[in-house]
Amino acid sequence: MSLKSQHLIELLARFRETEKRFESFLEKAKADPTLPRFLLQADLQTMPITKVPIERLETIAFEKLALGTKTLALTIELNKAIDAFNTSTAARNEMLTKWYEGPQMGHDEMLFRYLGVKVEGGADEKYKQTLFAMESYCNDCIMFSKLLSEDLNTYGNRVRGKYRHHIFWRLPRIAEADYSSPKAQALMPDIQDYEQWLSGFQPRPTVGQWIKIWFSRKKKPVTLPK
């Protein structure tokens, strides 16, 4: 969340603002072809690669704890999201390095590559799509981290409750992450974007729910043979 707050939000906001300014410029240029050339203010700063001990977390989750299927799946998805975000970040950094160190580009060529403007022969949207992929994967990292921490908190509290009366053990309290602040809520992706993924892990009915289902089922009428 800190990386999104410190780097990605402003980067994406400036990019989208540049897109809007260019679209507005094109509309005005249709009515007045004598307008000065559009001034591109490109944000070409590289971003750091995120280093997270995800392998250590996977080892603990899969080998040290008795976790459910959903929690283990969250661990895997978090690993995939971190890897995808770092891959996208590295791809963007590599593009910027080539732009700096390669043959000098003219203003129009830089504009077309930066914004993915469609020209004769197609559009080069590699930079634009990479930037939006970083946003998507960053949101995945945040959401899967939150869901995983909630599941691990539930598991830890269940274990702690199981051994709360043990005379030789004094288990520590479970530290819970707080996402309730307005700043954290503003950075949190929409849970509805993950409903399809979560729908694959419906909780099993309790004994009481099974009994209710059993008695509420419709009985087929018995047809006597003629």
Side-chain angles (χ1 to χ4, degrees):
M1 293 181 75
S2 61
L3 188 144
K4 182 178 180 179
S5 175
Q6 296 172 11
H7 300 282
L8 200 54
I9 283 184
E10 292 186 2
L11 178 64
L12 288 161
R14 289 192 292 267
F15 181 86
R16 290 184 170 117
E17 178 60 28
T18 302
E19 276 192 314
K20 290 180 180 179
R21 289 196 304 108
F22 184 67
E23 291 173 0
S24 177
F25 168 81
L26 292 179
E27 291 296 324
K28 294 178 181 178
K30 291 179 182 178
D32 184 5
T34 63
L35 282 177
R37 185 173 61 177
F38 179 81
L39 180 60
L40 173 65
Q41 296 177 333
D43 194 334
L44 304 179
Q45 292 183 346
T46 58
M47 287 182 58
I49 302 298
T50 304
K51 294 183 179 181
V52 180
I54 187 65
E55 292 81 8
R56 176 61 175 165
L57 175 61
E58 282 190 320
T59 300
I60 295 174
F62 281 88
E63 300 179 10
K64 306 296 183 181
L65 305 177
L67 300 175
T69 303
K70 174 172 168 280
T71 310
L72 295 176
L74 283 169
T75 307
I76 296 173
E77 291 299 324
L78 178 58
N79 189 357
K80 289 164 56 178
I82 293 173
D83 182 67
F85 178 77
N86 282 337
T87 300
S88 299
T89 303
R92 177 181 177 272
N93 290 346
E94 184 178 356
M95 273 188 278
L96 298 183
T97 301
K98 289 182 178 180
W99 289 358
Y100 274 117
E101 298 178 354
Q104 185 175 3
M105 289 188 291
H107 177 275
D108 290 348
E109 184 181 0
M110 171 63 77
L111 173 66
F112 298 156
R113 288 193 178 187
Y114 186 76
L115 293 180
V117 179
K118 187 175 182 180
V119 295
E120 186 178 354
D124 183 357
E125 295 187 334
K126 185 181 298 183
Y127 178 84
K128 178 179 179 179
Q129 295 301 327
T130 300
L131 190 61
F132 290 161
M134 290 170 60
E135 179 183 31
S136 176
Y137 293 135
C138 184
N139 285 335
D140 288 348
C141 290
I142 293 173
M143 180 55 67
F144 289 132
S145 294
K146 177 180 181 293
L147 296 174
L148 179 59
S149 68
E150 291 173 348
D151 277 16
L152 291 176
N153 284 333
T154 301
Y155 174 83
N157 285 322
R158 186 167 64 246
V159 172
R160 191 172 185 275
K162 182 179 179 180
Y163 296 102
R164 66 184 182 277
H165 299 305
H166 202 289
I167 60 174
F168 298 110
W169 293 354
R170 294 181 61 85
L171 298 180
R173 292 185 177 275
I174 305 299
E176 298 185 11
D178 185 7
Y179 300 99
S180 62
S181 68
K183 183 178 179 180
Q185 288 296 315
L187 296 171
M188 192 65 59
D190 192 344
I191 188 64
Q192 293 182 355
D193 295 337
Y194 300 87
E195 285 184 350
Q196 183 176 359
W197 188 90
L198 291 170
S199 65
F201 302 96
Q202 296 297 331
R204 298 181 62 183
T206 63
V207 175
Q209 290 172 332
W210 274 120
I211 295 174
K212 185 177 180 180
I213 293 171
W214 174 265
F215 284 104
S216 63
R217 65 194 180 112
K218 293 182 179 179
K219 296 183 178 180
K220 296 182 179 180
V222 178
T223 303
L224 296 177
K226 295 181 181 180

